[in-house]
């Protein structure tokens, strides 16, 4: 009996032991480096989709089976792994160095840099959060090789143009696809996104990375992940606050003073100074010497507050944030405000096989701006007035305040002269309204279920909603108000109000089935997807002419349309309009990844997309890619000889598409159809006319890209980085082709021609020194891109010239300047000289003498570099960015050096005084009264075509983090104080306020980028 009992107990103990080894348990610990805890480090269960991130104190907690392997990774550190045994706690200290094992996760897949075949670059939250820019995209400039951020306006919250690896199309969409937490979003909506919510930004560059996005990946993909909580994480708070101010960049040109301008006018016998004596000039100059930039621009205040709350239980975690951001523009009356709320919630089942997440972001932004940037309408161009204002005009009212009208009464047509434009603009700034509101909602739900061994099903859906309202009011009591109804000041009521509202709803859903298995030295990961996208836009707008001045802004100021004017007409009838459009895409595709021993890997993607823009025979596009890698450092022959070296070689080739014909989500929706509209016909009667001839052959643009790259780390990754060489070729370009006007139109949209981008990208990081007290790190990146058009429609004979200064030329970059070369001034008569096409000289501008300059408004070189120095609690960092080999027409300087006319109500730059006067004079400025003006030079010559290359100190920061010992008696766990500056130094030969102007070809009175100084605090508790 006893032996039988012993046998049963032994069996039960064995079963219990076997069961315990298969049972799940929760393990926890801390991930740190030599100096302390590492927040947001990745902890994954090897071979599964299960993973967590460490909290602000570097702590983690995860459910795992005994015998499984935990993998610990963090950007810039060597990964480590631990096999889970009997103990319940695993503390890990990561060593500086490894950069090849960072997790890469997008909408469709997850891998690590070590096993990735893709060209991907990323930056973490630390590189972008707590910056003083309203848009997070501006913080990326200079930080990623090949990524060009062009912000053409200093208005807070202004949109940026993003170009990755060169311009990939002529008329289609040029910007990358943006993904936030798995949801495709509008590339122009980032002013409403709170950058302190962002955890990481990854930029996907080559075909292996972008082909899986098919119809939207031709220009690259930028994947943004927001912050999340962690499982078994105590509740923590992070409060951040900033306060500071912004100011105007210095003007890199010398304007004339009152004395200089009046004496110049007297010398040439034209203008106000021509009739003044020397004594009178001296008196006027001492009375007023106005620098109008000081009147129109100001120091603007920046302030922000953000509160983030993270918490987690055994099976759920949560991240919640509240944010407020406000920034005054440096131009009077311009500012930006944003309110934001975010909640990211995640959960899982007890066994960890079912995971789900819900993300919600609600944002409201309001921008008070000024229209007229770049305008040639003198009385509606505020930034031009700040440059051109006459220095001898008095900017002050009798009480000493800045004037709001210059003594000009509303409707006084005799008082509105070009020299009084600054007064008119100051009046508009003071009285008129220009407000843009946006409600931005991003929400998504995702779930995956490991329903069988090695099989996981997943689903994700998301919504990007934007509701906008634009309001512009020109006050009836403003100087220009009485002229708005019919162009005269004779109507009883003046002023105008324009209002437009829109709703943009974009829906995306992705369903997937994944198979992942490791057998021996082989790992296979294969996924099939189905994706659906649908977008709807509707809006309404109206313009009301005639407002009751007593009720402006109340909504009740409109003069009824039935009101009769003195001549019996009804001039107050509003005009209204509306729009309603939709677009959609359907896709199915698959991805396959194979790994052998961590040494070799292959990845392949095939995707089929259906676009509504094309007829059934052309709507399906097929895109694919294949990529491979060789982790050379895993080879025995290499690792023995170079034990502290990381080296990976990768290559890829594939295709992606573009179906956005005119670079907008809802543009060119019906180009395959014949369209008709209402128009005047014989004897003025109303009839139906052809407005568009459909082209049923219209189809996808397609971009094929090849890429070879190397990722490396030397001396235990003391020096690490990557080098990529690529070539992108876009075929079947969307282009208008000339046809006979007898068809009712002169062009037809077609797919003709191709262009190419090829270049090289280099990224480097050097850990100069690191110990318990010190960290010194240098980083740099640079890229060179050669863009050129390979083919144009035969009917253009290799060049598309539509007047202006730029053209499309086979063999040259997009937007190449095609102009007559300026040769200086004829010393005999003071007229401007130009080179003929064959190198001769002429005094006449003729289109036949235009030549290809080889200069473009898009940069060939782009990059940045920076430093990070830490000593105990102190930190100092800098980040520089640069553009090189790009050009821009400087119409601002051209108009300020104008000599064809003098008495035009504008100031001049000092160089104008060197204008030709007598035979034999050698100068670069033509005589007063010469036949060509600034606009002639800009449109037709290279006289004011300037090198707009620049090097800018994008950000500099000095901070101090208090130690836990100092804070131990306080109710807070962390305190960091810092001061920082944005755009503090700029080195450029470009003459103006700002060399940074996006990628436009001409500058004329544009809003300059400001300097921003802020003080900030970060409190954890």
């Amino acid at each position: 009996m006893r032996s039988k009992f012993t046998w049963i107990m032994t069996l039960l103990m064995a079963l219990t032991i076997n069961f315990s080894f298969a049972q799940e348990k929760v393990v926890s610990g801390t991930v740190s480096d030599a100096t302390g805890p590492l927040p947001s480090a990745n902890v994954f269960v090897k071979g599964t989709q299960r993973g967590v991130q460490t909290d602000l104190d570097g702590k983690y907690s995860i459910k795992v089976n005994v015998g499984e392997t935990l993998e610990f990774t963090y950007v810039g550190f060597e990964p480590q792994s631990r096999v889970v045994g009997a103990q319940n706690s695993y503390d890990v200290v990561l060593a500086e160095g490894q950069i090849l094992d960072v997790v890469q996760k997008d909408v469709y897949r997850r891998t690590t840099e070590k096993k990735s075949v893709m060209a991907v670059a990323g930056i973490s939250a630390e590189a972008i959060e707590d910056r003083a820019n309203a848009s997070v995209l501006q913080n990326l400039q200079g930080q990623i090789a090949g990524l060009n951020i062009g912000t053409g306006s200093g208005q807070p919250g202004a949109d940026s143009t993003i170009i990755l690896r060169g311009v990939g199309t002529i008329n289609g969409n040029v910007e990358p696809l943006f993904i936030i937490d798995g949801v495709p979003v509008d590339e122009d909506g980032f002013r409403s996104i709170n950058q302190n919510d962002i955890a990481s930004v990854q930029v996907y560059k080559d075909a292996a990375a972008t082909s899986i996005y098919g119809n939207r990946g031709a220009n690259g993909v930028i994947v943004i992940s927001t912050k999340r909580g962690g499982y078994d994480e105590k509740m923590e708070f992070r409060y951040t606050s900033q306060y500071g101010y912004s100011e105007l960049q210095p003007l890199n040109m010398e304007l004339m003073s009152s004395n200089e301008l009046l004496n110049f006018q007297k010398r040439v016998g034209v203008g106000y100074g021509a009739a003044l004596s020397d004594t009178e000039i001296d008196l006027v100059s001492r009375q007023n010497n106005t620098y109008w930039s000081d009147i129109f621009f100001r120091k603007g205040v920046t302030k922000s507050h953000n509160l983030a709350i993270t918490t987690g239980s055994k099976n759920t975690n949560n991240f919640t944030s509240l944010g407020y951001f406000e920034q005054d523009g440096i131009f009077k009356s311009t500012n930006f405000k944003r309110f934001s709320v975010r909640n990211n919630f995640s959960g899982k089942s007890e066994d960890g096989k079912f995971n789900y997440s819900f993300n919600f972001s609600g944002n409201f932004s309001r921008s008070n701006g000024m229209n007229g940037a770049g305008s040639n309408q003198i009385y509606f161009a505020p930034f031009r007035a700040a440059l051109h204002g006459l220095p001898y005009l008095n900017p002050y009212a009798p009480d000493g305040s800045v004037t709001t009208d210059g003594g000009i009464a509303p409707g006084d047509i005799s008082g509105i002269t070009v020299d009084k434009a600054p007064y008119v603009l100051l009046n508009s700034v003071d009285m008129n309204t220009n407000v843009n509101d946006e409600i931005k909602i991003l929400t998504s739900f995702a779930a995956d279920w490991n329903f069988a061994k090695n099989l996981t099903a997943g689903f994700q859906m998301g919504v990007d909603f934007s509701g906008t309202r634009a309001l512009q009011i020109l006050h009836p009591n403003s100087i220009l108000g009485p002229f708005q109804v019919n162009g005269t000041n004779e109507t009883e009521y003046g002023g105008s109000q324009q209002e437009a509202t829109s709703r943009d709803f974009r829906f995306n859903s992705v369903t997937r089935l994944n198979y992942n298995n490791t057998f021996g030295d082989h790992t296979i990961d294969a996924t099939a997807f189905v994706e659906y996208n649908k977008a709807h836009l509707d809006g309404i707008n109206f313009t009301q002419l005639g407002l009751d001045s007593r009720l402006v802004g109340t909504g009740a100021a409109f003069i009824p349309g039935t009101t009769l004017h003195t001549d019996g007409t009804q001039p107050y009838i509003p005009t209204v309009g509306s729009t309603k459009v939709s677009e959609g895409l359907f896709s199915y595709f698959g991805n396959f990844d194979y790994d052998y021993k961590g040494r070799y890997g292959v990845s392949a993607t095939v995707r089929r997309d259906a676009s509504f823009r094309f007829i059934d025979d052309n709507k399906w596009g097929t895109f694919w890619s294949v990529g491979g890698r060789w982790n050379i450092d895993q080879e025995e022959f290499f690792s023995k000889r170079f034990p502290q070296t990381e080296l990976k070689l990768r290559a890829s080739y594939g295709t992606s598409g573009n179906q956005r014909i005119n670079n907008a989500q809802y543009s060119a929706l019906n180009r395959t159809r014949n369209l008709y509209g209402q128009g005047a016909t014989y004897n003025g009667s109303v009839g139906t006319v052809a407005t568009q001839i459909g082209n049923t052959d219209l189809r996808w643009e397609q971009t094929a890209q090849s890429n070879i790259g190397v990722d490396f780390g030397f001396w235990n990754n003391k020096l690490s980085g990557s080098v990529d060489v690529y070539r992108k070729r876009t075929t079947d370009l969307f282009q208008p082709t000339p046809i006979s006007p007898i068809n009712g139109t002169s062009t037809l949209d077609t797919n003709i021609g191709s262009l190419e981008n090829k270049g090289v990208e280099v990224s480097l990081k050097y850990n100069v020194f690191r110990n318990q007290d010190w960290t010194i790190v240098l980083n740099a990146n640079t890229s060179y891109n050669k863009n050129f058009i390979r083919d144009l429609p035969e009917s253009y004979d290799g060049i598309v010239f539509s007047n202006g200064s730029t053209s499309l030329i086979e063999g040259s970059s997009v937007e190449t300047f095609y102009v007559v070369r300026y040769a200086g001034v004829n010393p005999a008569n003071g007229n401007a000289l130009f080179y003929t096409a064959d190198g001769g000289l002429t005094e006449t501008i003729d289109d036949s003498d235009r030549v290809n300059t080889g200069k473009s408004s898009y940069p060939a070189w782009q990059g940045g570099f920076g430093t990070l120095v830490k000593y105990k609690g102190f930190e100092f960092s800098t980040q520089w960015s640069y553009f090189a080999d790009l050009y821009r027409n400087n119409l601002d300087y051209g108009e300020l050096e104008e000599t064809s006319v003098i008495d035009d109500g504008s100031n001049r730059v000092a160089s104008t005084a060197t204008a030709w006067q007598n035979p034999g004079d050698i100068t670069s400025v033509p005589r007063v009264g010469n036949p060509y003006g600034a606009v002639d030079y800009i449109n037709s010559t290279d006289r004011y075509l300037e090198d707009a290359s620049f090097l800018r100190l994008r950000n500099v920061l000095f901070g101090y983090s208090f130690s836990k010992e100092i804070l131990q008696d306080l109710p807070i766990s962390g305190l960091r104080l810092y001061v920082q500056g944005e755009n503090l130094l700029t080195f450029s030969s470009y003459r103006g306020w700002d060399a940074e102007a996006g990628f436009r070809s001409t500058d004329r009175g544009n809003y300059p980028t400001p300097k921003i100084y802020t003080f900030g605090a970060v409190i954890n508790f």
Side-chain angles (χ1 to χ4, degrees):
M1 183 72 180
R2 183 176 180 180
S3 61
K4 184 176 180 180
F5 176 78
T6 303
W7 180 84
I8 293 173
M9 290 300 296
T10 302
L11 179 61
L12 288 173
M13 290 179 64
L15 289 173
T16 302
I17 292 171
N18 288 337
F19 178 74
S20 68
F21 273 105
Q23 195 174 34
E24 276 191 329
K25 65 177 181 177
V26 175
V27 301
S28 59
T30 301
V31 180
S32 59
D33 65 359
T35 63
L38 290 174
S40 300
N42 297 299
V43 184
F44 284 98
V45 180
K46 186 176 182 179
T48 74
Q49 299 291 320
R50 307 198 306 275
V52 297
Q53 286 190 329
T54 57
D55 62 17
L56 295 174
D57 295 321
K59 296 179 180 179
Y60 73 92
S61 178
I62 190 170
K63 186 175 289 186
V64 63
N65 293 316
V66 174
E68 289 186 314
T69 300
L70 291 177
E71 294 181 325
F72 301 86
T73 64
Y74 192 79
V75 178
F77 291 81
E78 292 186 12
Q80 291 194 32
S81 62
R82 296 286 189 275
V83 177
V84 177
Q87 67 187 78
N88 296 321
S89 178
Y90 295 88
D91 294 333
V92 175
V93 179
L94 299 182
E96 177 76 17
Q98 174 64 263
I99 65 167
L100 300 179
D101 208 29
V102 180
V103 174
Q104 296 175 350
K105 185 176 182 180
D106 62 8
V107 185
Y108 309 118
R109 56 201 164 180
R110 181 179 72 87
T111 184
T112 63
E113 284 195 12
K114 192 168 186 177
K115 293 185 177 181
S116 173
V117 304
M118 303 179 290
V120 182
I123 57 177
S124 61
E126 289 76 11
I128 53 179
E129 67 182 1
D130 299 328
R131 296 276 294 271
N133 293 308
S135 172
V136 66
L137 297 183
Q138 296 176 20
N139 298 336
L140 301 181
Q141 189 180 94
Q143 300 209 58
I144 295 177
L147 185 67
N148 290 336
I149 314 291
T151 305
S153 172
Q155 166 77 32
D159 289 331
S160 301
T161 299
I162 316 298
I163 296 177
L164 179 63
R165 291 189 167 183
V167 180
T169 181
I170 292 177
N171 295 303
N173 177 43
V174 300
E175 296 193 79
L177 169 67
F178 285 87
I179 305 288
I180 298 181
D181 290 334
V183 181
V185 298
D186 178 10
E187 63 268 20
D188 293 326
F190 280 86
R191 63 183 175 275
S192 294
I193 305 299
N194 184 356
Q195 60 195 25
N196 286 286
D197 290 345
I198 293 175
S200 67
V201 178
Q202 292 183 317
V203 180
Y204 289 66
K205 302 178 181 181
D206 68 339
T210 63
S211 287
I212 198 168
Y213 294 89
N215 61 79
R216 301 160 299 166
N219 302 300
V221 182
I222 297 180
V223 177
I224 297 174
S225 300
T226 58
K227 296 176 181 177
R228 315 196 68 82
Y231 292 112
D232 291 309
E233 178 179 292
K234 64 180 180 180
M235 182 175 291
E236 295 189 355
F237 296 81
R238 182 181 191 265
Y239 171 72
T240 65
S241 179
Q242 282 192 76
Y243 184 85
Y245 70 92
S246 53
E247 66 180 12
L248 183 65
Q249 300 274 354
L251 181 63
N252 189 23
M253 63 173 75
E254 184 182 354
L255 296 174
M256 285 186 173
S257 64
S258 293
N259 187 275
E260 290 171 330
L261 180 61
L262 292 171
N263 274 296
F264 174 69
Q265 292 175 340
K266 181 177 181 180
R267 191 188 80 196
V268 299
V270 180
Y272 177 56
L276 299 179
S277 66
D278 291 343
T279 301
E280 290 171 326
I281 288 177
D282 183 63
L283 177 62
V284 171
S285 299
R286 283 189 284 111
Q287 287 176 336
N288 294 300
N289 187 31
T290 306
Y291 186 61
W292 284 97
S293 292
D294 291 340
I295 305 301
F296 279 97
F297 289 94
R298 65 181 178 183
K299 286 188 176 181
V301 173
T302 295
K303 52 188 174 183
S304 69
H305 303 277
N306 286 275
L307 177 64
I309 307 170
T310 57
T311 186
S313 64
K314 178 181 178 182
N315 294 318
T316 62
N317 64 66
N318 191 74
F319 171 86
T320 301
S321 74
L322 301 170
Y324 172 75
F325 179 90
E326 181 177 358
Q327 189 169 75
D328 291 333
I330 54 175
F331 195 86
K332 298 180 68 170
S333 84
T334 62
N335 74 337
F336 176 82
K337 294 180 181 180
R338 178 179 64 221
F339 302 86
S340 63
V341 60
R342 172 174 290 278
N343 183 253
N344 291 343
F345 180 84
S346 299
K348 62 180 180 178
S349 62
E350 286 290 337
D351 61 6
K353 292 185 176 182
F354 181 79
N355 295 271
Y356 65 95
S357 65
F358 175 77
N359 306 318
F360 174 84
S361 172
N363 310 271
F364 171 79
S365 66
R366 167 165 290 179
S367 177
N368 288 283
M370 285 295 296
N371 283 342
S375 172
N376 63 353
Q377 300 179 20
I378 294 175
Y379 302 117
F380 293 90
F383 311 107
R384 182 183 184 278
L387 271 179
H388 288 254
L390 293 169
Y392 50 76
L393 293 182
N394 183 9
Y396 299 106
D399 62 0
S401 63
V402 173
T403 183
T404 58
D405 55 25
I408 305 172
D412 180 8
I413 194 168
S414 63
I416 304 176
T417 54
V418 290
D419 59 317
K420 303 296 177 62
Y423 297 144
V424 176
L425 268 300
L426 282 172
N427 181 258
S428 296
V429 168
D430 182 65
M431 301 196 67
N432 297 337
T433 301
N434 189 336
V435 177
N436 288 275
D437 292 342
E438 180 180 65
I439 295 175
K440 183 79 168 180
I441 296 175
L442 293 174
T443 185
S444 65
F445 174 80
D448 61 75
W449 178 33
N450 183 198
F451 64 93
K453 184 178 181 180
N454 304 321
L455 287 174
T456 301
F459 174 75
Q460 176 174 299
M461 64 179 180
V463 169
D464 175 13
F465 173 81
S466 300
T468 62
R469 173 178 177 263
L471 173 66
Q472 295 183 36
I473 300 176
L474 201 156
H475 201 284
N477 290 346
S478 67
I479 293 174
L480 299 179
F483 301 97
Q484 299 311 303
V485 175
N486 61 5
T488 72
N489 58 356
E490 299 175 356
T491 54
E492 183 179 358
Y493 298 97
S496 66
Q497 180 167 331
Q498 300 179 52
E499 193 163 345
T501 60
S502 69
R503 297 178 300 177
D504 188 350
F505 179 90
R506 306 183 187 190
F507 173 81
N508 168 267
S509 70
V510 179
T511 304
R512 66 182 183 276
L513 178 64
N514 172 261
Y515 172 79
N516 183 286
N517 193 14
T518 298
F519 46 97
D521 297 327
H522 309 274
T523 299
I524 291 177
D525 189 292
T527 312
F529 302 88
V530 175
E531 183 170 5
Y532 174 71
N533 291 275
K534 191 68 175 179
H536 302 274
L537 172 70
D538 64 78
I540 187 168
N541 62 84
F542 68 84
T543 299
Q544 167 69 34
L545 301 178
L547 303 175
D548 186 332
S549 61
R550 300 166 298 176
L551 300 173
V552 171
T554 67
F558 299 173
I559 303 303
T562 55
T563 303
L564 295 177
H565 188 46
T566 54
D567 61 2
T569 62
Q570 295 174 280
Y572 307 112
I573 299 175
T575 59
V576 297
S578 66
T579 184
K580 185 176 183 180
V581 293
S582 62
E583 64 116 43
L585 291 162
F586 178 78
S587 313
Y588 58 89
F589 51 105
N591 181 73
F592 175 83
D593 289 321
Y594 168 75
D595 172 71
Y596 175 70
K597 285 188 174 182
R599 298 179 187 173
Y600 314 106
V602 176
S603 179
T605 299
V606 176
R607 176 164 179 147
R608 291 271 287 167
D609 290 307
S611 171
F612 75 103
R613 279 184 167 90
F614 313 121
I615 66 172
D616 289 346
D617 289 344
N618 294 332
K619 72 177 182 180
W620 285 99
T622 302
F623 312 103
W624 60 274
S625 71
V626 61
R629 61 174 169 82
W630 179 22
N631 296 82
I632 303 174
D633 57 307
Q634 299 299 307
E635 299 288 355
E636 186 176 350
F637 73 86
F638 187 90
S639 60
K640 287 184 176 180
R641 188 171 182 181
F642 306 101
Q644 294 184 334
T645 301
E646 305 286 343
L647 186 63
K648 180 179 72 172
L649 176 66
R650 49 184 166 75
S652 65
Y653 181 83
T655 63
S656 49
N658 185 7
Q659 51 95 34
R660 281 172 53 173
I661 297 176
N662 282 350
N663 196 22
Q665 179 83 10
Y666 299 101
S667 66
L669 304 181
N670 299 293
R671 294 299 168 87
T672 61
R673 301 169 57 190
N674 294 323
L675 299 180
Y676 301 90
Q678 189 182 87
T681 57
Y682 179 73
N683 201 27
S685 61
V686 176
T688 300
V689 298
T691 58
Q692 175 180 289
I693 296 178
N695 179 10
T696 56
D697 290 332
L698 206 60
R699 58 192 180 276
W700 296 82
E701 282 188 353
Q702 186 163 249
T703 298
Q705 183 174 188
S706 56
N707 189 98
I708 297 176
V710 177
D711 299 324
F712 57 85
F714 300 126
W715 312 300
N716 198 26
N717 283 296
K718 191 177 183 70
L719 173 65
S720 59
S722 63
V723 178
D724 281 271
V725 179
Y726 63 88
R727 186 181 75 173
K728 292 169 54 179
R729 181 176 297 178
T730 305
T731 55
D732 290 335
L733 292 172
F734 299 129
Q735 294 191 77
T737 297
I739 61 175
S740 172
I742 198 173
N743 295 287
T745 182
S746 58
T747 61
L748 181 68
D749 282 309
T750 58
N751 293 92
I752 296 179
S754 64
L755 64 79
E756 186 170 301
N757 288 275
K758 56 184 179 181
V760 60
E761 299 167 345
V762 180
S763 296
L764 296 172
K765 178 182 178 182
Y766 182 56
N767 295 285
V768 179
F769 184 75
R770 185 182 181 92
N771 63 16
Q772 186 172 355
D773 294 331
W774 282 94
T775 298
I776 303 175
V777 181
L778 305 177
N779 67 82
N781 70 84
T782 190
S783 66
Y784 172 78
N785 182 80
K786 172 65 175 177
N787 171 270
F788 60 98
I789 300 170
R790 295 179 59 88
D791 301 294
L792 290 170
E794 292 183 5
S795 54
Y796 287 114
D797 196 24
I799 183 170
V800 178
F801 172 58
S802 304
N803 297 314
S805 59
T806 61
S807 290
L808 303 175
I809 305 172
E810 286 186 3
S812 296
S813 172
V814 173
E815 293 296 307
T816 291
F817 289 95
Y818 179 63
V819 291
V820 178
R821 294 165 293 171
Y822 183 65
V825 176
N826 188 339
N829 58 18
N831 286 333
L833 287 174
F834 309 95
Y835 290 108
T836 62
D838 58 6
L841 292 175
T842 179
E843 293 184 359
T844 303
I845 297 177
D846 193 291
D847 284 345
S848 64
D849 291 323
R850 290 179 182 261
V851 297
N852 179 2
T853 63
K855 300 174 180 179
S856 171
S857 57
Y858 293 101
W861 292 91
Q862 170 271 339
F865 56 90
T867 60
L868 172 63
V869 178
K870 291 185 177 181
Y871 175 69
K872 294 185 177 180
F874 293 95
E875 61 178 307
F876 175 76
S877 65
T878 63
Q879 197 254 314
W880 299 75
S881 66
Y882 79 88
F883 283 166
D885 199 15
L886 76 158
Y887 296 84
R888 189 178 310 122
N889 273 320
N890 193 339
L891 184 51
D892 283 328
Y893 201 90
E895 289 182 327
L896 287 166
E897 203 179 51
E898 177 76 75
T899 55
S900 63
V901 295
I902 296 298
D903 192 16
D904 58 357
S906 171
N907 196 5
R908 293 292 187 269
V909 288
S911 59
T912 314
T914 66
W916 184 96
Q917 299 181 69
N918 302 300
D921 285 351
I922 304 299
T923 180
S924 62
V925 183
R927 64 178 174 84
V928 172
N930 77 88
Y932 294 115
V935 174
D936 298 313
Y937 291 117
I938 293 296
N939 284 338
S940 303
T941 80
D942 66 351
R943 180 180 176 187
Y944 295 105
L945 180 59
E946 297 188 8
D947 185 349
S949 304
F950 68 87
L951 170 65
R952 171 163 284 174
L953 179 55
R954 182 64 56 182
N955 178 265
V956 60
L957 180 145
F958 178 76
Y960 180 75
S961 298
F962 291 84
S963 65
K964 289 188 176 181
E965 289 75 16
I966 296 177
L967 302 174
Q968 62 183 352
D969 295 329
L970 299 176
I972 59 176
S973 59
L975 174 61
R976 173 174 172 258
L977 304 176
Y978 63 89
V979 291
Q980 68 172 335
E982 299 276 346
N983 312 314
L984 297 189
L985 294 173
T986 302
F987 301 94
S988 177
S989 62
Y990 188 79
R991 298 176 295 186
W993 274 314
D994 191 15
E996 182 179 0
F999 307 112
R1000 57 178 173 257
S1001 60
T1002 300
D1003 266 356
R1004 184 184 203 176
N1006 295 100
Y1007 200 138
T1009 302
K1011 295 181 179 182
I1012 308 174
Y1013 307 85
T1014 54
F1015 168 79
V1018 181
I1019 306 173
N1020 296 309
F1021 53 94

